[in-house]
Amino acid sequence: SFGKFVRSPFHNEQQDLVKLFSLIDTHLRQSNSQQKKEALEKEVVWKKIYGHQPFKDVRLRRLCSDLIQLVYQFLSYNQYQKQAAAKQFNLVRALNQPDLQKYYTSAVAQLETINSKDSYRNAAYHLSNHTINAFLFNAPNDFQSKRKLVKNFEAADYHLECFYITKKLENYCSYISYK
């Protein structure tokens, strides 16, 4: 949940944001009549977060902006967590080091397994596979055989062509439907 995300020191180090979120969360969980009775006024929010410090509108606005940015990070993070292939591909890129060859090879095998299980072969699938195979072909490492590199090149080329054709068909179908 977003509350855990806000409270996590990995994602947020500002305790003021935790306080602001708690205030807003508590307010939104109240009934409509209670919300109207206890409206969130700037000065009230300031006092609950900063106590008796003098009110600074710019600082409160900045805090609200920071909370919104944290919401965007949370939404982005949730989308990323749903993309197994993208997560594994980033791991492969991180492990592409000479001293991590054993882990790199294993991560590439897992990535290939994840991709083979994807049954929805849309344009995004082909673009993703092109990107992965192009990386594996161009990645500066000595652990892949020439045959494997050729396979990656051919796969990258195939998926690029599939992506192009798929997007071209999508565009023409959209165009025809708007005529």
Side-chain angles (χ1 to χ4, degrees):
S1 80
F2 182 61
K4 288 180 182 177
F5 191 87
V6 171
R7 290 179 195 93
S8 166
F10 181 75
H11 298 288
N12 172 35
E13 295 179 352
Q14 291 181 292
Q15 286 304 307
D16 295 343
L17 282 179
V18 175
K19 292 176 185 176
L20 177 60
F21 169 73
S22 294
L23 282 170
I24 294 171
D25 186 46
T26 302
H27 180 73
L28 292 176
R29 291 181 187 274
Q30 295 174 342
S31 66
N32 285 342
S33 60
Q34 191 70 20
Q35 285 181 14
K36 290 177 184 174
K37 193 186 318 180
E38 298 175 19
L40 284 179
E41 300 292 331
K42 289 181 182 181
E43 290 80 10
V44 173
V45 171
W46 178 269
K47 192 170 222 162
K48 288 184 178 182
I49 295 173
Y50 296 109
H52 296 293
Q53 292 182 23
F55 176 73
K56 295 181 182 172
D57 188 60
V58 173
R59 188 170 172 191
L60 184 60
R61 286 175 188 263
R62 178 67 180 165
L63 191 64
C64 290
S65 176
D66 289 348
L67 186 59
I68 290 170
Q69 291 305 312
L70 205 56
V71 169
Y72 294 157
Q73 287 177 20
F74 174 73
L75 294 172
S76 177
Y77 177 78
N78 278 345
Q79 285 301 312
Y80 179 73
Q81 288 301 100
K82 295 175 186 175
Q83 300 173 355
K87 286 177 14 183
Q88 190 65 28
F89 178 53
N90 285 334
L91 177 61
V92 166
R93 290 174 31 189
L95 294 174
N96 188 27
Q97 307 291 325
D99 54 336
L100 300 173
Q101 176 181 355
K102 179 173 95 174
Y103 304 106
Y104 174 84
T105 306
S106 172
V108 168
Q110 287 177 336
L111 178 59
E112 289 170 347
T113 301
I114 290 169
N115 277 338
S116 69
K117 290 180 181 177
D118 193 351
S119 60
Y120 191 55
R121 309 282 165 113
N122 61 359
Y125 167 83
H126 289 293
L127 181 60
S128 172
N129 275 283
H130 162 72
T131 304
I132 291 165
N133 283 289
F135 171 80
L136 294 174
F137 175 74
N138 292 311
N141 62 49
D142 297 327
F143 0 115
Q144 292 190 34
S145 68
K146 293 286 184 200
R147 186 174 26 193
K148 181 72 173 165
L149 287 175
V150 169
K151 181 183 166 206
N152 291 134
F153 174 78
E154 290 171 347
D157 187 55
Y158 169 78
H159 286 292
L160 181 61
E161 192 170 339
C162 289
F163 171 74
Y164 174 76
I165 291 169
T166 304
K167 289 309 283 182
K168 195 88 164 159
L169 286 170
E170 283 178 15
N171 289 343
Y172 277 111
C173 288
S174 293
Y175 176 72
I176 290 169
S177 69
Y178 287 117
K179 273 187 144 183

